[in-house]
Amino acid sequence: MFSAFPDWFDARQVWAALALAAWLAICWVCLVPGRERPGRQPAEAAASPDWLVLYASQSGTARRLAGQLARCLTSADHTAALMALNELRPGQLLAYRRVLLVVSTYGEGEAPDNAAVFWRIARQTSPDLRTLGFAVLALGDRGYAGFCAFGQHLSEWFISAGARPLLPLQKVDRLDPETLRQWQQRFGQATGQRIMLSDDFRPWRLLDRQLLNAQSPGAPVWLIRLQPRGKMPAWQAGDLAQLRIGNLLRTYSVASLPEDGVLELIVRQVIHADGTLGRASGWLCHDVRPGDTVEIQLLPNPQFHLCRASAPVILIGAGTGIAGLRGLLRQHQRQGMSPAWLIFGERCQEHDRWLSEELELPARDGRIRLDRCFSRAPEQPEYVQDRLRTHADELRRWVDQGASIHVCGSLRGMGTAVRRALEELLTAEQWNRLQRLSRYRQDLY
């Protein structure tokens, strides 16, 4: 019988050829430049929602508020999409009609980490956004020169692209409740949306306080222990505790785990030049008595959580930044036996060896590596960034072995100096990989 195929071309080869052709077609669809995989373009995946709610959040507060606002809009029979700014590209805004942005400012006017990519691209592009209405709720702290600067820059960019403000830019100083309440009213009047931001403050009982730095030249630092009046809520290492003291809100890094049975904070008592105490720290470290009630809500801070249980960690901080690092260290030790390196700085070697038994015993046993630095040591004054330079080769080796770096403490001075040191000491490839894989994490204030 005459065959349409040569003798060597059997049926198995026919099927193999067809399978190869199908595979090549799939690769073309997925990989050819200019094509997007299904679901990657939120504006094209389905009909655009009534509202796009975007957030730029360094500590998690703006993310939490944005989530509340998205839920409020949804409960008012509107559709709302919630995402970080980095999940969007400027050109995708063309598919939306109304955008609500809740943004914080990092440092002295910079974009938070989860908005930095969007902002870098946005400053180089100018899409036509004349069909878009927008509103910006900017969170910040007047103690910084760049108070709400990123929110200001973002608002100006939208206006320059032709978008129309649904209401004026609102700047909020330290989550001032009255400012937020007034903004909610204005937003409702301008858009017809009833917005009611809620909170989750719960009563906690003060157990005790322990002075960590007796006779130190610095201001007193207290380890504060609290128990819930009710069931112990859940949180993770790296999360935050927000205290409500009258109309005042203050946020602190959590220094313990739920498994510890207590919520612990490490707080430095602020003493002004005239001898008066800071309003929040004075009340918490001096006025409130054991047994009294403290109102607290726990805030998730996923950008400071541990990356992987099996990965090494480098924890860097100074002063009360030890609080957030302590929680991470405890969780890391409970999850596995991968290496941990704590580099911690304070002032006086004699009086500022905080948590000495807790930290130095596992260091002697080899369970952690501990480097203490003292800026007023008589023989060799040193800051944490100096210690990084001293051990630059080991730093690079840890990063190559997959270590994540977590920095906690004051932005001014320590936080900025540590970042500069890391940029200087690591190779460009190492630094870019840390950022790309979110292995460089900060809780700075």
Side-chain angles (χ1 to χ4, degrees):
M1 178 181 290
F2 176 79
S3 174
F5 300 98
D7 293 340
W8 48 267
F9 205 102
D10 61 20
R12 288 175 297 177
Q13 291 170 316
V14 172
W15 285 112
L18 292 173
L20 177 61
W23 180 79
L24 290 172
I26 292 171
C27 290
W28 182 85
V29 169
C30 295
L31 300 178
V32 169
R35 297 186 63 92
E36 292 287 345
R37 299 180 187 181
R40 296 292 290 180
Q41 291 276 5
E44 297 174 3
S48 297
D50 300 327
W51 286 89
L52 175 61
V53 182
L54 298 170
Y55 61 86
S57 182
Q58 192 67 32
S59 68
T61 301
R63 177 178 180 271
R64 178 179 60 85
L65 284 179
Q68 287 190 20
L69 289 165
R71 289 190 293 272
C72 288
L73 290 167
T74 301
S75 65
D77 295 327
H78 291 270
T79 55
L82 174 68
M83 64 183 73
L85 267 170
N86 274 357
E87 298 178 52
L88 194 75
R89 293 298 176 264
Q92 292 176 301
L93 290 166
L94 294 168
Y96 297 92
R97 304 301 297 270
R98 290 181 292 187
V99 177
L100 174 59
L101 301 105
V102 184
V103 301
S104 62
T105 294
Y106 171 69
E108 297 295 345
E110 303 166 35
D113 291 342
N114 58 13
V117 174
F118 172 90
W119 187 233
R120 185 169 61 249
I121 298 171
R123 285 181 296 179
Q124 301 172 358
T125 60
S126 183
D128 185 353
L129 301 180
R130 285 176 292 181
T131 61
L132 182 70
F134 78 99
V136 177
L137 181 64
L139 311 181
D141 184 338
R142 289 192 184 277
Y144 291 92
F147 171 60
C148 290
F150 179 61
Q152 181 75 50
H153 298 330
L154 200 59
S155 181
E156 292 170 354
W157 180 84
F158 272 89
I159 292 173
S160 69
R164 66 188 187 283
L166 298 174
L167 68 167
L169 167 68
Q170 178 63 68
K171 298 180 180 181
V172 185
D173 181 26
R174 294 187 176 187
L175 294 178
D176 177 61
E178 182 59 23
T179 304
L180 287 172
R181 186 188 65 79
Q182 293 176 3
W183 177 84
Q184 291 176 61
Q185 292 180 344
R186 287 194 292 270
F187 185 82
Q189 293 168 359
T191 64
Q193 316 302 319
R194 179 176 172 80
I195 297 294
M196 293 296 293
L197 293 174
S198 60
D199 55 46
D200 190 26
F201 284 96
R202 300 181 185 183
W204 292 70
R205 179 171 64 92
L206 176 67
L207 292 178
D208 54 50
R209 285 185 291 253
Q210 175 189 347
L211 183 62
L212 296 180
N213 62 340
Q215 300 181 326
S216 170
V221 173
W222 297 88
L223 174 64
I224 298 171
R225 303 170 69 245
L226 305 110
Q227 274 188 338
R229 294 189 182 275
K231 184 179 178 181
M232 177 69 73
W235 74 86
Q236 291 188 50
D239 286 345
L240 306 171
Q242 188 174 73
L243 278 64
R244 181 164 62 191
I245 305 169
N247 290 327
L248 184 68
L249 300 178
R250 284 294 181 269
T251 303
Y252 298 97
S253 302
V254 177
S256 59
L257 301 176
E259 302 93 298
D260 298 328
V262 291
L263 177 73
E264 293 183 320
L265 310 174
I266 297 178
V267 180
R268 190 185 299 273
Q269 185 170 299
V270 175
I271 304 176
H272 298 300
D274 61 0
T276 60
L277 302 181
R279 183 178 171 188
S281 65
W283 182 82
L284 189 58
C285 298
H286 184 268
D287 297 339
V288 67
R289 296 288 180 241
D292 288 352
T293 295
V294 180
E295 289 187 288
I296 298 175
Q297 69 172 341
L298 295 169
L299 305 178
N301 188 17
Q303 295 187 141
F304 198 62
H305 291 169
L306 291 175
C307 297
R308 292 182 293 116
S310 59
V313 292
I314 302 173
L315 309 173
I316 306 170
T320 54
I322 191 63
L325 302 180
R326 182 187 190 226
L328 294 176
L329 183 60
R330 286 189 173 186
Q331 182 173 327
H332 183 265
Q333 289 180 306
R334 293 182 184 186
Q335 287 180 343
M337 293 302 294
S338 56
W341 182 2
L342 173 62
I343 306 172
F344 174 59
E346 242 302 299
R347 296 188 180 189
C348 176
Q349 186 171 3
E350 183 179 359
H351 302 297
D352 286 318
R353 303 186 73 86
W354 305 358
L355 308 171
S356 56
E357 293 183 7
E358 177 181 323
L359 296 177
E360 291 172 11
L361 178 59
R364 287 195 298 269
D365 294 344
R367 284 175 283 163
I368 66 170
R369 172 170 177 171
L370 176 64
D371 279 74
R372 287 188 183 269
C373 311
F374 299 97
S375 60
R376 297 189 181 181
E379 297 180 359
Q380 187 178 359
E382 191 178 22
Y383 294 93
V384 290
Q385 60 268 25
D386 300 324
R387 187 62 60 94
L388 288 173
R389 291 187 173 93
T390 301
H391 299 292
D393 289 340
E394 291 169 273
L395 170 67
R396 288 187 285 267
R397 186 161 55 249
W398 277 62
V399 170
D400 284 339
Q401 293 170 350
S404 60
I405 299 178
H406 299 252
V407 184
C408 190
S410 172
L411 171 65
R412 293 172 175 170
M414 190 279 299
T416 302
V418 166
R419 185 183 183 104
R420 288 174 179 167
L422 291 172
E423 291 175 340
E424 169 194 330
L425 299 172
L426 298 175
T427 67
E429 180 184 354
Q430 287 175 320
W431 180 243
N432 291 335
R433 186 166 65 247
L434 282 177
Q435 295 183 303
R436 186 176 68 254
L437 300 178
S438 297
R439 283 167 44 199
Y440 178 66
R441 304 192 169 198
Q442 304 173 98
D443 178 12
L444 303 175
Y445 42 84

